Amino acid sequence: MSTPPRTAPLARTGFDPEATLAALASGPRAERLRHVHEVPARPASLAAWPDWVDPCVHAACAGAGVTSLWSHQREAADLAHAGSHVVMATGTASGKSLGYLLPVLTALVEGSSAPTGRGATALYLSPTKALAADQLARVQAMAVPGVRAATYDGDTPSEERRWIRDHAHLVLTNPDLVHHSLLPLHERWAPFLRRLRYVVIDECHVYRGVFGSHLAALLRRLRRVCARYGASPTFVLASATVRDPGDHASRLVGLPVEAVTVDGSPREEMTFALWEPGALDEGFGGTAPTGGDWAAGYTADEGPAGPGDELVGRSFPPQELRDTSGETPARRSATSEAADLLAELVSARVQTVAFARSRAGVEALASSARRRLEDQPRLAAAVAAYRGGYLPEERRELERALRDGDIIGLAATNALELGVDVSGLDAVLLAGWPGTRASLWQQAGRAGRAGTRSLAVFVAADDPLDTYVVNHPEVVFGQPVESTVLDPDNPHVLAPHLAAAAAELPLREADLEMFGPDARRLVDALVARGILRRRPSGWFWARSDRASDHVSLRGSGEVVGIVERRTGRVLGTIDEASAHSQAHTGAVHVHQGSTYIVTELDLETGTATAVRGDPGWSTFAQSVSAFDVVGAQDSRSWGPIDVAFGAVRVHNQVTSFLRRLPGGEVIGTHPLDLPQRTLSTKAVWWTMPVEWLAAAGVAEVDIPGAAHAAEHAAIGMMPLVATSDRWDIGGVSTALHPDTGLPTIMVYDGHPGGAGFAQRAYGVFEMWLSATLEAVRSCRCESGCPGCVQSPKCGNGNEPLDKAGAVRLLEAVLREAPQHH
């Protein structure tokens, strides 16, 4: 990774989004532009400076040029200063940090006159170390007299840790450090905790699903330990725009939280385009090399949000991609298409960031854009990649070069999305659906932050949801952003946190209410398993090891380390469930742009050994799945259709893997001897009588293919109704299930105990299935493609699949919906 040398900035001044978009969509590419939306400007709403702010803090802000506040900053700061728990949920670049820094810094300055020099302390939590470092730099730049701030994470030298615990006013860290160090060693932190006035939780929309459930339990443990030292801190949360942020924040903290949602910051107009790549053999319409099409991997993320205004736009008729044989050619990948768009924008001196879904996708996007600019070396050198895994000094240099205009084109993961202070960009490209509408708006909001008009272009991947979005722009522009989903009562998450809480301080009966209605049952189960011991004074940790070591906040279950055989270097980790399908013996594994082959997977030691080298093929695991219905928590009948949500056990066994060449040809199938895995989770499922399906045009012999195709499409569309990634969820379909006695389709949360996604889908079942039907029915392929019913993670190699049967099945189910009768 390198940045261009310092010369005169390349980026131009004066930017016309509409003219730029017209140039991109000129000639044979015109039909790829599917919809254009104009986001109106938003004026600033100013508020007076609060009189309670300490003069030193006021002077520091004035020295940085901040002499007035936007309305949401003042509202949140006032609430926090008064002791109310508060969440700010406003758009990108709306200055949320000032909303919490005013009350926090004021309390710290006022407390510095105490005899100990530390009459108040504050804890700042962010999901990434990089964001904590950015916040520290911001606080240090303010240079408020008497305020000692420091980051405390896994990289902090041991000699600095004692000084931070004993002397720092503001500690900036992450939930993992609180879990593994602060709470288990709370006696060492006693002086800090005794004075704890504020806990700031930044980017709180990231805490969803299982990660959110873990944070909810962690914060309850933190509140309990604080109470032991007589502290009851005020929680201040910052979020991108999410639906009902007050409810989300309250579920995280376990206390009532006030929501501040009216954004007082100004925004200039934005032109937002939806773009569908052409056929694979069309290229981009130019002669320069585009750097090969490939499907970038996906990583789960969620990001921030944008305007909720009613917006108007213009759409274009669907492009026809059929060739003379009647089959639809595969589309170019979103990564390759975005790379070509990025190269054109860089050629026009339009400073642009292109978001890709994975680290590998980012590297490929940047490399492809540079290749297209080979005949313009200075411009090619002005394209860079930015992702997690870079060293801090590399990251800082990239941010500096981007701000100074030395970099014009940047390919980035959501490491750049999460709060990094980069502003003034002209355009944003989004290669593939980023997971949620909220994340879409957060990424788009990276452009136009310097009071200028901006351009955002969403480039659709060959995926059911992406295809649906470009053909139904109203799902982006006509609806509010999603609610976040988390389940603080998930027993698979809560039980180990209760054990950790008992190791920190013996659990008392009065403590259990804080942890929810199931806490007593879970504590009794932990006693029965010998993990806790009951004494008259409470429940105690009964083992010699550390309780916190049994909990991974960012997932559930064991992890497998991927180790390079020659050097012994740990390349990375993968959860044990994913290791079966992605790190089995013989698997091709890509890490930070380098390719490795797994030579051995040892599940007993939790190690996958790999050697570096690119064999020229990729591997795809094949598996068999089945499920048991444990019990329905809720159900409803649509005539002959029964729809249910509840507990299930999913059995999955990886049985073999395929080797495929880049063109898709299978060159071998190889058996694997791996144990069956059982996942206890939550699911939504529905059943249909065989005779009823036959009457709807789905014969008994066609049920497996029709149900399988409908299941794939429903999984692909679930992120539309729940804040999930398709990789967070799974599905099983069967022509005859022993527990139901009927053809059954099930979609389940891919995490022990559930993550809330299936429950959300059950709540909006008709909307979910309607969107699924529309996505399949409107796809222009003949018999099924990745844009409708094929799945990139199907354990059965996408066999059997019956697209036409899936349409008939879904149409028949929806005809039974209550309002149709």
Side-chain angles (χ1 to χ4, degrees):
M1 185 217 75
S2 62
T3 57
R6 292 300 307 271
T7 56
L10 291 162
R12 69 180 186 182
T13 57
F15 172 58
D16 185 341
E18 291 187 339
T20 300
L21 184 61
L24 292 174
S26 59
R29 301 196 301 262
E31 59 186 12
R32 302 187 193 181
L33 180 60
R34 303 289 293 109
H35 183 82
V36 177
H37 217 103
E38 300 298 333
V39 181
R42 180 182 65 221
S45 175
L46 297 176
W49 202 267
D51 55 12
W52 51 261
V53 173
D54 185 272
C56 292
V57 177
H58 190 180
C61 292
V66 180
T67 55
S68 62
L69 300 177
W70 291 322
S71 56
H72 65 276
Q73 294 172 323
R74 171 68 192 266
E75 183 182 358
D78 281 344
L79 285 165
H81 177 70
S84 295
H85 309 295
V86 60
V87 57
M88 283 174 287
T90 53
T92 311
S94 58
K96 290 185 283 287
S97 57
L98 192 59
Y100 56 73
L101 284 176
L102 289 180
V104 167
L105 294 176
T106 292
L108 300 185
V109 170
E110 291 173 349
S112 63
S113 60
T116 62
R118 198 165 66 160
T121 60
L123 185 66
Y124 168 94
L125 301 180
S126 76
T128 65
K129 290 190 287 187
L131 185 53
D134 282 323
Q135 287 295 313
L136 176 65
R138 179 171 297 169
V139 171
Q140 289 176 333
M142 294 177 72
V144 178
V147 172
R148 298 188 292 266
T151 54
Y152 190 108
D153 55 38
D155 297 333
T156 304
S158 55
E159 61 271 18
E160 292 181 20
R161 295 191 172 202
R162 171 174 284 189
W163 182 92
I164 293 171
R165 290 195 301 264
D166 293 345
H167 300 289
H169 298 108
L170 173 61
V171 173
L172 302 101
T173 186
N174 53 65
D176 309 84
L177 191 286
V178 174
H179 169 65
H180 288 293
S181 181
L182 190 154
L183 290 178
L185 304 174
H186 60 84
E187 294 92 346
R188 299 182 185 179
W189 287 86
F192 179 89
L193 292 171
R194 193 170 285 118
R195 302 296 183 188
L196 189 59
R197 183 78 60 84
Y198 289 103
V199 176
V200 176
I201 303 170
D202 206 355
E203 305 286 353
C204 73
H205 54 277
V206 172
Y207 303 109
R208 61 176 179 85
V210 170
F211 192 18
S213 302
H214 277 295
L215 187 77
L218 181 72
L219 292 178
R220 285 154 178 78
R221 286 166 53 200
L222 176 63
R223 286 171 46 207
R224 179 171 169 267
V225 168
C226 286
R228 157 71 176 77
Y229 295 103
S232 180
T234 298
F235 287 86
V236 187
L237 300 95
S239 171
T241 307
V242 295
R243 195 182 304 184
D244 202 352
D247 177 69
H248 173 64
S250 297
R251 290 165 72 83
L252 279 176
V253 176
L255 296 165
V257 179
E258 297 278 344
V260 175
T261 58
V262 178
D263 194 334
S265 64
R267 286 283 313 187
E268 294 301 321
E269 293 176 355
M270 173 189 287
T271 298
F272 205 132
L274 305 183
W275 185 282
E276 189 169 36
L280 193 57
D281 56 4
E282 286 182 7
F284 193 68
T287 56
T290 61
D293 283 272
W294 60 286
Y298 285 81
T299 55
D301 76 64
E302 203 240 2
D309 311 274
E310 277 298 318
L311 306 175
V312 295
R314 55 192 190 277
S315 294
F316 306 95
Q319 51 179 301
E320 282 297 331
L321 298 182
R322 285 195 178 84
D323 62 14
T324 53
S325 68
E327 279 295 324
T328 305
R331 286 210 310 257
R332 302 187 75 225
S333 77
T335 305
S336 290
E337 191 84 358
D340 290 335
L341 289 168
L342 179 62
E344 292 226 352
L345 289 166
V346 170
S347 292
R349 310 299 201 274
V350 176
Q351 196 174 38
T352 305
V353 60
F355 285 103
R357 291 294 310 277
S358 69
R359 292 181 177 187
V362 163
E363 298 286 1
L365 203 161
S367 297
S368 180
R370 281 193 290 263
R371 280 196 298 272
R372 188 171 173 82
L373 294 164
E374 281 177 345
D375 59 341
Q376 303 175 76
R378 191 174 174 214
L379 288 178
V383 175
Y386 182 112
R387 56 169 176 77
Y390 284 168
L391 297 175
E393 53 268 27
E394 293 177 311
R395 216 167 52 80
R396 294 276 178 247
E397 175 60 16
L398 280 168
E399 292 164 18
R400 192 277 312 157
L402 191 65
R403 280 192 290 267
D404 292 352
D406 297 338
I407 287 177
I408 309 180
L410 189 71
T413 61
N414 71 330
L416 187 67
E417 175 190 315
L418 291 177
V420 177
D421 186 17
V422 173
S423 60
L425 303 176
D426 295 319
V428 167
L429 301 172
L430 300 98
W433 184 253
T436 62
R437 286 185 292 270
S439 193
L440 187 86
W441 286 111
Q442 174 79 346
Q443 293 180 359
R446 283 290 163 200
R449 298 179 64 179
T452 60
R453 295 174 63 206
S454 58
L455 172 67
V457 182
F458 166 68
V459 181
D462 205 4
D463 175 88
L465 184 55
D466 290 45
T467 303
Y468 185 81
V469 165
V470 293
N471 288 295
H472 298 81
E474 68 277 4
V475 306
V476 175
F477 304 113
Q479 297 192 32
V481 296
E482 303 87 351
S483 301
T484 50
V485 176
L486 65 105
D487 179 12
D489 300 319
N490 182 334
H492 294 264
V493 172
L494 185 55
H497 280 281
L498 285 167
E504 290 150 11
L505 293 167
L507 272 172
R508 298 168 302 167
E509 192 81 43
D511 295 330
L512 298 183
E513 183 180 354
M514 177 186 293
F515 291 96
D518 292 337
R520 178 59 191 267
R521 177 180 62 82
L522 294 173
V523 166
D524 290 341
L526 291 169
V527 170
R529 291 166 57 193
I531 294 170
L532 297 185
R533 181 174 294 120
R534 178 76 192 268
R535 296 278 175 78
S537 55
W539 289 272
F540 290 74
W541 175 247
R543 296 168 50 139
S544 58
D545 52 353
R546 279 170 51 106
S548 58
D549 290 344
H550 294 272
V551 188
S552 170
L553 295 188
R554 296 172 190 261
S556 49
E558 302 298 319
V559 295
V560 171
I562 301 173
V563 178
E564 187 175 21
R565 187 172 68 183
R566 185 177 62 84
T567 63
R569 181 171 66 102
V570 177
L571 301 173
T573 59
I574 189 170
D575 64 274
E576 200 245 349
S578 299
H580 284 237
S581 58
Q582 298 176 39
H584 56 76
T585 301
V588 175
H589 177 76
V590 179
H591 177 75
Q592 294 192 10
S594 299
T595 303
Y596 297 81
I597 303 171
V598 177
T599 58
E600 182 186 13
L601 171 61
D602 187 336
L603 293 172
E604 288 190 10
T605 62
T607 303
T609 307
V611 295
R612 187 165 182 171
D614 187 351
W617 62 73
S618 53
T619 54
F620 296 83
Q622 294 191 292
S623 61
V624 293
S625 298
F627 67 94
D628 305 325
V629 175
V630 177
Q633 289 179 220
D634 198 3
S635 63
R636 63 177 82 113
S637 292
W638 286 4
I641 309 300
D642 288 323
V643 187
F645 164 76
V648 298
R649 280 190 296 268
V650 181
H651 310 287
N652 182 270
Q653 185 173 19
V654 175
T655 56
S656 61
F657 70 94
L658 304 177
R659 287 185 298 138
R660 281 183 179 159
L661 294 174
E665 304 93 323
V666 175
I667 58 173
T669 302
H670 306 271
L672 290 168
D673 182 20
L674 288 167
Q676 184 185 79
R677 289 185 51 80
T678 297
L679 172 69
S680 295
T681 186
K682 299 291 177 62
V684 54
W685 67 90
W686 70 96
T687 61
M688 305 148 287
V690 174
E691 305 78 14
W692 176 87
L693 280 169
V698 183
E700 188 167 358
V701 69
D702 297 326
I703 291 175
H708 192 200
E711 169 218 320
H712 279 185
I715 290 171
M717 294 305 293
M718 191 186 269
L720 188 69
V721 298
T723 49
S724 65
D725 188 284
R726 72 180 298 157
W727 300 84
D728 290 327
I729 51 186
V732 185
S733 55
T734 176
L736 176 64
H737 192 273
D739 290 341
T740 65
L742 293 167
T744 305
I745 298 174
M746 185 189 79
V747 178
Y748 60 87
D749 295 342
H751 300 277
F757 308 131
Q759 185 170 15
R760 179 63 54 81
Y762 173 77
V764 290
F765 184 75
E766 183 179 357
M767 185 181 91
W768 175 38
L769 249 58
S770 296
T772 301
L773 170 61
E774 178 63 19
V776 179
R777 189 163 54 189
S778 64
C779 186
R780 295 178 297 283
C781 70
E782 292 292 327
S783 56
C785 71
C788 58
V789 298
Q790 290 181 4
S791 168
K793 57 172 190 163
C794 179
N796 297 317
N798 283 300
E799 292 290 342
L801 287 178
D802 182 351
K803 176 186 175 181
V807 170
R808 290 193 291 271
L809 182 154
L810 293 167
E811 285 176 339
V813 171
L814 286 163
R815 280 197 296 269
E816 301 293 344
Q819 73 266 31
H820 291 190
H821 291 271

